[in-house]
Amino acid sequence: MRHLGKKMILAFGGLLIVLGCAALFLRPDWRYLAVNAMSRSAVRISLSQVEEGAFAMKGYTMEQLLAEGGEQDRSLMLINSRNHIPEDFQPRLIDYNAAGVLMDEAMEEDYEALSQAVQEQFGVSLLIRSSYRTREEQEETITEDGDVAATLDASEHQAGLALDVYVPGYAGRALLKTEAGQWINDNCWQYGFIIRYPYYGVSETGIPYEPWHLRYVGRPHAELMTQNSWTMETYFEELTPGRLWQYENYVITRQADEPFTLPADWTSVTVSPDNQGGYVFTVTLTE
């Protein structure tokens, strides 16, 4: 009888394992996460420090840089529980498709391209559940959904830099049950977006996994973060202030004090406040 009892326990344990494996592969969202977790470390992108003398350099004041064709945006503002939105912050918003959906002007074209790609590949519309929120609207969101809503002035929605997206019939975590949602999670970086709160970054962001929350950071930053499995917090740790880093035809640097030292030969420069007292410069080099 004792041996029979052990056999029954082993058989029951084996059945549980089989059922668990079956559930894993029957649920598309669980299957996606399992495959993603196994494969995400396969590709890493090198961000190389620029050696002294590699480029001819030039000093710029902000005024000089903008006068020579540099552009400003807010795409690389680090916003979290330790880096709140400044009290005097004024978002730069557009009304997307004149539909009452307000978002930062820097992301308009890239979001349109992402939306079109989803429509063309999957035949479904990519919809926006939440975009820009005023401070008062964020307070209401905290009251209604305080378990998952970011604290006041720590929400990227207040800066207009975040979008909560869905497809018809599938919102929130259910987005991952769709091929479109899985594709968005894997490929939004190609359009300058990241999954701001990935499942592997909870200890760094302090926010549980939100596969629906897209944050605009622009290129090449979205690619670097996604392909290296970096959260935005980790990315800023990599970008040591004062140093210059190169990826492909880009030079990236964080600096705080004028004159800002940048490569002299460039086709474009975008500068964003980092919300930590400095700026991130994204320099596209002249080929």
Side-chain angles (χ1 to χ4, degrees):
M1 292 293 291
R2 182 178 299 173
H3 291 296
L4 181 60
K6 288 183 178 179
K7 289 181 179 179
M8 291 179 65
I9 292 172
L10 290 172
F12 183 67
L15 178 61
L16 289 177
I17 293 173
V18 170
L19 290 174
C21 292
L24 174 64
F25 286 96
L26 285 173
R27 284 196 53 162
D29 51 339
W30 292 2
R31 182 171 64 249
Y32 166 79
L33 289 172
V35 172
N36 184 272
M38 289 187 290
S39 63
R40 70 181 177 88
S41 61
V43 179
R44 297 285 172 171
I45 294 177
S46 175
L47 186 61
S48 304
Q49 185 173 343
V50 174
E51 299 295 333
E52 186 174 351
F55 302 109
M57 306 298 288
K58 181 177 177 181
Y60 296 88
T61 65
M62 187 66 74
E63 184 178 3
Q64 289 171 333
L65 183 64
L66 298 179
E68 293 188 25
E71 298 182 353
Q72 284 183 313
D73 68 18
R74 280 84 174 285
S75 59
L76 289 166
M77 286 183 61
L78 180 63
I79 300 170
N80 55 28
S81 61
R82 297 177 299 279
N83 298 277
H84 284 195
I85 296 173
E87 291 184 5
D88 60 351
F89 179 79
Q90 295 295 324
R92 297 174 179 173
L93 304 172
I94 56 98
D95 185 350
Y96 181 70
N97 284 343
V101 177
L102 301 179
M103 63 176 66
D104 187 277
E105 60 185 8
M107 74 170 78
E108 180 181 16
E109 291 184 4
D110 283 330
Y111 178 75
E112 177 65 21
L114 174 62
S115 180
Q116 288 181 359
V118 171
Q119 180 67 52
E120 290 170 2
Q121 294 192 47
F122 303 99
V124 298
S125 298
L126 181 60
L127 305 172
I128 298 173
R129 188 175 185 180
S130 181
S131 54
Y132 170 69
R133 299 175 194 150
T134 65
R135 199 170 191 273
E136 292 71 27
E137 289 169 337
Q138 183 63 21
E139 285 183 310
E140 293 175 5
T141 301
I142 293 170
T143 301
E144 297 170 359
D145 208 2
D147 291 339
V148 296
T151 56
L152 199 60
D153 299 327
S155 171
E156 296 176 328
H157 286 285
Q158 286 180 244
L161 292 166
L163 302 172
D164 291 344
V165 300
Y166 69 104
V167 297
Y170 296 90
R173 285 185 176 262
L175 179 65
L176 279 188
K177 294 181 179 180
T178 70
E179 290 184 355
Q182 294 174 15
W183 183 88
I184 290 165
N185 270 245
D186 286 339
N187 294 281
C188 64
W189 62 266
Q190 298 184 53
Y191 303 87
F193 292 89
I194 59 171
I195 301 300
R196 177 65 175 94
Y197 306 120
Y199 65 85
Y200 52 79
V202 176
S203 62
E204 297 151 24
T205 65
I207 304 292
Y209 180 35
E210 294 189 358
W212 63 88
H213 182 106
L214 304 185
R215 162 66 198 260
Y216 188 73
V217 295
R219 286 165 283 186
H221 312 284
E223 181 176 7
L224 287 162
M225 291 183 215
T226 301
Q227 298 298 80
N228 288 313
S229 297
W230 290 336
T231 62
M232 200 168 179
E233 283 78 6
T234 302
Y235 185 54
F236 273 87
E237 290 176 3
E238 294 289 328
L239 297 181
T240 307
R243 296 180 182 174
L244 279 72
W245 306 89
Q246 185 171 8
Y247 171 61
E248 294 185 344
N249 200 39
Y250 297 96
V251 168
I252 303 163
T253 179
R254 288 176 66 197
Q255 299 181 32
D257 300 317
E258 296 180 314
F260 305 112
T261 304
L262 305 174
D265 295 324
W266 48 266
T267 58
S268 67
V269 176
T270 302
V271 54
S272 170
D274 62 9
N275 204 28
Q276 298 179 85
Y279 299 91
V280 180
F281 298 84
T282 306
V283 182
T284 305
L285 299 172
T286 302
E287 296 184 357

